[in-house]
Amino acid sequence: MSAVLEVRDLAIALPAGSDRSHAVSRVSFTVTSGEIVCLVGESGSGKSVIAQGIMGLLPKGLPVTAGTILLEGENITHAPPERLRALRAARMSMVFQEPMTALNPVMTCGEQIEEVLREHAALGPAERRAKILAILREVSLPDPERIVAAYPHQLSGGQRQRIMIAMALVLEPALLIADEPTTALDVTTQAQILRLIADLQSRHGTGVLFITHDFGVVAEIAHRVAVLRLGELVELGTKQDVLTRPQHAYTRMLIGSVPSLRPRTRQADANAPVVLSTHGLGKTYRDRSWFGKRRDVRAADDVTLEIRRGQTLGIVGESGSGKSTVARCVVRLIDPTEGDIRLSGQDIARLGAAALRPLRRKVQIVFQDPYRSLNPRRTVEEAVIEGPLNYGVPRREALERARRLMELVRMDPAVLARYPHQFSGGQRQRICIARALAMEPELLIADEAVSALDVSVQAQVLELLEEIRERLSLAMLFITHDLRVAAQICDQVAVMSQGRVVEYGPAASVFGAPRHEYTRALFDAAPGRGFEFAAA
């Protein structure tokens, strides 16, 4: 097959004062028509920089210093802006990770796709509308007439990503670049998007450069795999060769970090004291339209759970299943509509703010995005000691506790003087864990705490959480949509769908012999489920 994209000895410089001189150093690979090439590697490996370089979207501080980029034989390495504008969408397109930030919130979805057609195709209004409806049907969006008039915020995450794919493919470009397009999606929506990209790519003969850090996704769709480390290409080969017979130590480390769907066996004390229990927990959101019509949304319905000291309970399910609603009710960030929440035997479901305040330190939560969780204008020290100071701990004692916690989360206490932006994502998440532990809680809630991390960093944070749980004998509520992660850290698993718990039991039972059809559907959708990765 003919080469759609050829990258030859590409080098992209970093600004002066950076840790290394190049973001990308002498990288070469090709993407042929009808082929999916996956670029994999940790954050900072140069994956997205290469994609931006191909699209001509690099900032001035990241210049291409060597090498060539050929699109269907045309050298576009230093093409003028007007030529790149002509090629974008028409011959090469890109799908970004977060569609909500990539789409214009004040334009309808139809207007945004039509904008591509107006700029690049000589079509009349009726022809443009027909083409828009056709591409919406092709990406399997329901009721295209409604979607055309809808704004991005009125669609689900999976539907917004389909709009992005429709915009990228409406002119049938030769090259599609997909930059982590499924990272923020739950497992079933992710499976749908992956099938859609593979189907459209096969149907149109498009060459696809797919950027990801998820090896399950690689196993699902890749033809060939390119592994990047600190801007250098360390391995390139077929999917089968790279994933089952990796040659480079870095590739072996990455694949060894992929969590297994087989749950770990743990020795949990079945007679340990109950730290948290909920009974009949429910949360209903009441929404009134402009015309006074009320619409009730049951976000959580009759949820009954129990977590003992030293035990981890995982709640898994799709987006909108009610996982985070339950977590926020337990920590009383939102008020439950009905049911009981017992913390060490005391019902906190209807306690007022004054009565709840002394109990808040017993329950701490770690959120998905550590950068948004930390105040960028405060040092790590100020973030970690703030809670203890608010509960009357002397400053000297709070500082000593912060230093001990930095060591516990495997960071140098000297970092307490630094600011959040000076750390990687994994380091920031460790800081958030230390901040939560500074309150010496009885229950730690982790709400998608590792979903945004690289596979190797994810493995380190999961190991850290497990070590902390054992050392401090904490009860942990772990919210995730990643079944592989749940299998590695949870003793008990509750599967939620549409606000209700549809399956609940020991992790070994739920993963080994799922009883509910929804649970089985989740497992079937897990990317790379049947693929045998190389042993660690």
Side-chain angles (χ1 to χ4, degrees):
M1 290 199 178
S2 60
V4 171
L5 173 71
E6 294 179 74
V7 175
R8 300 176 182 170
D9 292 324
L10 183 65
I12 300 173
L14 282 170
S18 301
D19 293 339
R20 60 183 199 264
S21 61
H22 281 80
V24 176
S25 180
R26 300 292 178 181
V27 169
S28 299
F29 63 89
T30 61
V31 180
T32 61
S33 176
E35 180 184 39
I36 299 179
V37 175
C38 280
L39 273 184
V40 299
E42 298 172 287
S43 296
S45 62
K47 306 185 302 294
S48 294
V49 172
I50 289 173
Q52 291 166 13
I54 295 167
M55 295 294 294
L57 299 175
L58 286 172
K60 291 182 179 178
L62 297 176
V64 174
T65 56
T68 55
I69 301 168
L70 301 175
L71 179 67
E72 296 185 294
E74 179 183 352
N75 188 345
I76 61 169
T77 316
H78 300 289
E82 57 272 17
R83 179 56 183 158
L84 289 171
R85 280 196 297 271
L87 291 171
R88 292 184 196 123
R91 303 310 302 147
M92 60 179 181
S93 287
M94 189 164 177
V95 178
F96 296 93
Q97 178 174 346
E98 180 44 71
M100 196 60 184
T101 56
L103 293 169
N104 190 328
V106 298
M107 291 176 68
T108 66
C109 296
E111 288 171 340
Q112 296 189 58
I113 300 173
E114 186 178 21
E115 185 178 36
V116 175
L117 296 174
R118 277 202 315 269
E119 290 293 323
H120 296 281
L123 300 173
E127 291 173 300
R128 289 199 298 267
R129 183 170 180 83
K131 200 164 184 65
I132 291 167
L133 293 173
I135 193 66
L136 291 180
R137 293 189 192 97
E138 193 167 8
V139 298
S140 303
L141 277 165
D143 193 1
E145 294 282 355
R146 178 184 66 84
I147 297 292
V148 163
Y151 289 89
H153 73 272
Q154 296 174 307
L155 305 180
S156 69
Q159 288 175 327
R160 286 194 290 265
Q161 199 59 286
R162 289 170 189 268
I163 293 294
M164 288 292 299
I165 294 169
M167 289 176 64
L169 295 179
V170 68
L171 291 175
E172 300 188 16
L175 174 68
L176 174 67
I177 300 175
D179 190 359
E180 301 273 13
T182 62
T183 298
L185 304 178
D186 58 63
V187 65
T188 50
T189 307
Q190 180 186 61
Q192 293 166 9
I193 295 297
L194 291 177
R195 281 197 299 270
L196 173 65
I197 290 174
D199 179 53
L200 292 172
Q201 170 265 336
S202 175
R203 198 182 309 166
H204 296 284
T206 311
V208 177
L209 182 63
F210 197 104
I211 296 169
T212 183
H213 64 254
D214 187 332
F215 276 87
V217 170
V218 175
E220 199 72 29
I221 67 167
H223 294 118
R224 289 190 300 130
V225 183
V227 183
L228 291 168
R229 178 180 181 271
L230 299 177
E232 296 183 358
L233 184 67
V234 297
E235 192 152 353
L236 176 65
T238 66
K239 173 177 69 177
Q240 196 70 25
D241 285 343
V242 172
L243 297 189
T244 63
R245 295 178 292 276
Q247 300 302 304
H248 197 278
Y250 178 72
T251 312
R252 292 195 293 272
M253 181 277 292
L254 288 179
I255 294 173
S257 300
V258 177
S260 170
L261 275 168
R262 289 188 292 272
R264 288 184 185 175
T265 54
R266 299 174 189 78
Q267 298 299 321
D269 185 359
N271 299 313
V274 175
V275 174
L276 173 75
S277 64
T278 69
H279 181 75
L281 178 65
K283 175 62 180 178
T284 302
Y285 290 100
R286 293 183 168 88
D287 182 28
R288 288 186 180 274
S289 71
W290 287 353
F291 303 103
K293 186 177 180 181
R294 196 178 81 176
R295 185 171 68 97
D296 290 349
V297 178
R298 295 283 285 174
D301 185 11
D302 194 24
V303 176
T304 299
L305 306 168
E306 181 182 275
I307 313 176
R308 295 179 180 272
R309 187 173 180 181
Q311 188 181 77
T312 299
L313 169 67
I315 302 182
V316 301
E318 298 172 286
S319 298
S321 62
K323 308 184 302 294
S324 293
T325 297
V326 170
R328 282 160 171 73
C329 284
V330 166
V331 84
R332 285 297 308 275
L333 291 177
I334 57 176
D335 296 328
T337 309
E338 59 202 27
D340 300 334
I341 304 170
R342 295 193 174 274
L343 184 63
S344 299
Q346 182 177 357
D347 189 1
I348 65 170
R350 274 159 286 281
L351 288 182
L356 193 60
R357 189 179 187 278
L359 300 173
R360 283 200 179 276
R361 68 162 201 82
K362 294 185 178 182
V363 185
Q364 293 295 302
I365 188 166
V366 179
F367 294 100
Q368 177 176 351
D369 187 344
Y371 195 71
R372 295 199 320 185
S373 300
L374 295 167
N375 188 330
R377 304 174 80 176
R378 308 189 72 179
T379 64
V380 172
E381 176 185 296
E382 292 170 324
V384 174
I385 69 173
E386 179 184 17
L389 291 180
N390 286 341
Y391 278 82
V393 176
R395 188 176 186 86
R396 180 177 293 178
E397 183 181 335
L399 285 171
E400 182 56 37
R401 187 184 296 180
R403 294 187 188 98
R404 290 199 308 270
L405 286 169
M406 285 296 108
E407 292 175 349
L408 180 63
V409 299
R410 302 175 196 156
M411 293 185 72
D412 188 338
V415 306
L416 288 167
R418 294 164 63 183
Y419 289 86
H421 73 272
Q422 296 175 288
F423 299 93
S424 68
Q427 289 172 322
R428 284 195 290 264
Q429 199 61 291
R430 290 170 187 266
I431 292 166
C432 288
I433 292 169
R435 181 178 63 175
L437 295 176
M439 299 300 293
E440 298 183 340
E442 296 175 9
L443 173 68
L444 181 66
I445 299 175
D447 189 2
E448 299 281 9
V450 297
S451 65
L453 304 178
D454 295 322
V455 64
S456 56
V457 179
Q458 183 184 81
Q460 294 166 13
V461 174
L462 288 176
E463 184 182 339
L464 173 64
L465 287 171
E466 183 70 4
E467 180 185 322
I468 288 169
R469 180 192 66 81
E470 289 182 0
R471 186 182 298 188
L472 304 180
S473 196
L474 276 175
M476 192 181 305
L477 180 62
F478 197 92
I479 313 293
T480 184
H481 66 256
D482 191 328
L483 297 172
R484 293 178 183 273
V485 168
Q488 297 310 300
I489 200 166
C490 300
D491 302 300
Q492 301 279 320
V493 173
V495 182
M496 289 193 69
S497 174
Q498 297 181 348
R500 297 183 68 88
V501 175
V502 297
E503 189 157 352
Y504 184 24
S509 299
V510 174
F511 279 78
R515 299 185 305 276
H516 197 277
E517 59 181 315
Y518 176 75
T519 312
R520 292 194 292 270
L522 284 181
F523 287 130
D524 289 342
R529 181 170 181 250
F531 197 89
E532 289 295 327
F533 293 96

